[in-house]
Amino acid sequence: MTLPMTVMDEGLPTRIRIHEVGARDGLQNEATIVPTEIKAEFIHRLAAAGLTTIEATSFVHPKWVPQLADAERLFPMVRDLESVRLPVLVPNDRGLDRALALGVRQVAVFASATESFAKANLNRSLDESLAMFEPVVERARAERLHVRGYLSMCFGDPWEGPVPVDQVARIVRRLVDMGCDEVSLGDTIGVATPGHVQSLLATLIEEGVHVSKVGVHFHDTYGQALANTLAALQLGVTTVDASAGGLGGCPFAKSATGNLATEDLLWMLQGLGIDTGVDLGLLTATSVWMAEQLGRPSPSRTVSALSHKEP
Ligand code: HMG
Ligand code: MG
């Protein structure tokens, strides 16, 4: 298999944790509902490729996201995977109850930096949605679960346009103060550019949010996800969300396309000599297999290049 030459950059972290979101962010956005057995096999194959944080599903209202309505059936099919963290999304107490009943150990609440998306995604105002998360985070921590706080629309919003950095920083602070162990900065519609990313991260660092608590979650609508990731690594971020094969999107934000493809990220990290423990060949084979299940090719450039048969 072709691999990039390794040329290290001393200014970058030496190890990155990939938070794989293909099974959740990817499959929540598919027009067709993927059979539960295929989802379970997908997660097993992601784990076999070396991914150690694999977001499995969401315990949201099944009418809101029918694609993930099988969470109760899926989670027991994957929960015994060794040395793999399997976070799930929980919006409210009901979601947390469902997750706890199945032995989930990592959960994520998902807030919005804008009023419009809070309403579209959670049927609540921004403050009401944070109030909904508070008891969830408190109870999850009391149960010693790891809690991630997603924050969507950190760079731009389809209804409100560009989102001021200070507005985002204020809500990141509220999620951290609420007790979230980490906050993932979502570029839900993929409009961020590297300077904007560094400006937000610099503001957060200035305001005392430690960079080890921050993850980045870039959708690739305008082809900026990898450049934005590198910009984040330059400021010390070591948690990067990505989606095998570039699956993804958000059913409640029309302009959201797939996430940064995990394979594209791995190609860059491999070239920079940054360790992830993930096998690019096995992961590419998984994305090719998943693309066959979905009936269309993966949008990942790396998957496409590596799976192209030599004449
Ligand atoms: P609501 O309609 O306001 O719910 O939805 P409610 O609190 O009024 O409750 C109404 C009924 O739903 C009640 O049943 C509840 O029990 C039930 P009833 O008493 O009428 O029989 N219910 C539930 N049932 C099962 N599981 C639950 C649940 N909650 C309530 N968890 C709600 C509010 C938050 C539930 C809804 O808006 C929802 O499920 N939203 C989820 C949206 C979603 O999943 N979006 C995609 C994930 S976010 C994303 O993709 C962005 C991200 O990738 C980062 C980025 O890219 O930016 C993370
Ligand atoms: Mg997303």
Side-chain angles (χ1 to χ4, degrees):
M1 189 178 76
T2 314
L3 285 175
M5 188 173 101
T6 299
V7 182
M8 316 261 292
D9 178 337
E10 298 303 325
L12 296 179
T14 52
R15 196 172 167 87
I16 297 292
R17 183 172 67 83
I18 299 178
H19 185 109
E20 169 61 44
V21 298
R24 193 280 304 170
D25 208 340
L27 300 186
Q28 79 179 8
N29 206 45
E30 283 301 316
T32 53
I33 294 179
V34 176
T36 313
E37 287 70 19
I38 300 290
K39 291 177 181 171
E41 183 172 348
F42 185 38
I43 292 172
H44 278 99
R45 291 178 73 140
L46 294 171
L51 287 155
T52 53
T53 306
I54 304 172
E55 206 164 85
T57 185
S58 297
F59 290 87
V60 295
H61 197 297
K63 283 203 185 121
W64 280 65
V65 187
Q67 291 89 337
L68 304 184
D70 60 352
E72 262 82 6
R73 217 162 81 69
L74 174 66
F75 197 79
M77 293 163 82
V78 297
R79 73 180 156 205
D80 294 332
L81 274 168
E82 252 176 62
S83 318
V84 177
R85 309 207 294 171
L86 294 162
V88 302
L89 266 57
V90 293
N92 52 15
D93 270 321
R94 173 93 178 86
L96 182 61
D97 289 342
R98 292 172 60 201
L100 286 173
L102 294 173
V104 163
R105 298 303 305 158
Q106 287 90 25
V107 293
V109 294
F110 44 104
S112 168
T114 64
E115 286 293 346
S116 304
F117 189 63
K119 188 80 192 133
N121 200 40
L122 296 160
N123 200 25
R124 275 153 183 73
S125 72
L126 206 160
D127 280 332
E128 285 166 349
S129 57
L130 291 172
M132 174 169 75
F133 299 142
E134 243 168 63
V136 177
V137 174
E138 194 180 335
R139 196 150 62 94
R141 283 180 62 89
E143 296 279 348
R144 300 189 181 283
L145 306 192
H146 182 274
V147 184
R148 159 176 269 224
Y150 273 109
L151 186 57
S152 287
M153 304 298 174
C154 286
F155 300 92
D157 171 286
W159 300 277
E160 298 182 22
V163 182
V165 165
D166 291 346
Q167 179 175 325
V168 179
R170 208 167 46 244
I171 303 163
V172 170
R173 185 82 259 167
R174 285 179 71 177
L175 288 169
V176 171
D177 291 347
M178 203 184 277
C180 290
D181 295 294
E182 67 180 23
V183 176
S184 173
L185 306 174
D187 183 16
T188 322
I189 56 169
V191 292
T193 48
H196 192 169
V197 170
Q198 292 199 338
S199 155
L200 174 57
L201 286 168
T203 304
L204 292 176
I205 293 165
E206 232 172 69
E207 293 191 4
V209 178
H210 199 273
V211 78
S212 62
K213 280 194 164 250
V214 176
V216 286
H217 179 104
F218 295 120
H219 286 263
D220 204 25
T221 322
Y222 297 94
Q224 304 297 299
L226 197 54
N228 290 337
T229 301
L230 181 60
L233 301 187
Q234 285 165 344
L235 290 202
V237 168
T238 56
T239 299
V240 179
D241 298 4
S243 157
L247 296 167
C250 179
F252 305 103
K254 262 210 197 109
S255 29
T257 65
N259 290 78
L260 167 65
T262 313
E263 290 85 351
D264 296 5
L265 172 65
L266 282 174
W267 181 273
M268 180 180 80
L269 296 180
Q270 187 129 2
L272 288 164
I274 298 176
D275 190 20
T276 61
V278 183
D279 183 316
L280 179 55
L282 279 179
L283 188 62
T284 300
T286 298
S287 291
V288 170
W289 167 82
M290 195 64 207
E292 282 163 13
Q293 309 303 314
L294 298 172
R296 56 186 162 72
S298 156
S300 159
R301 303 290 288 268
T302 301
V303 169
S304 160
L306 292 179
S307 60
H308 181 75
K309 303 265 184 308
E310 298 292 333

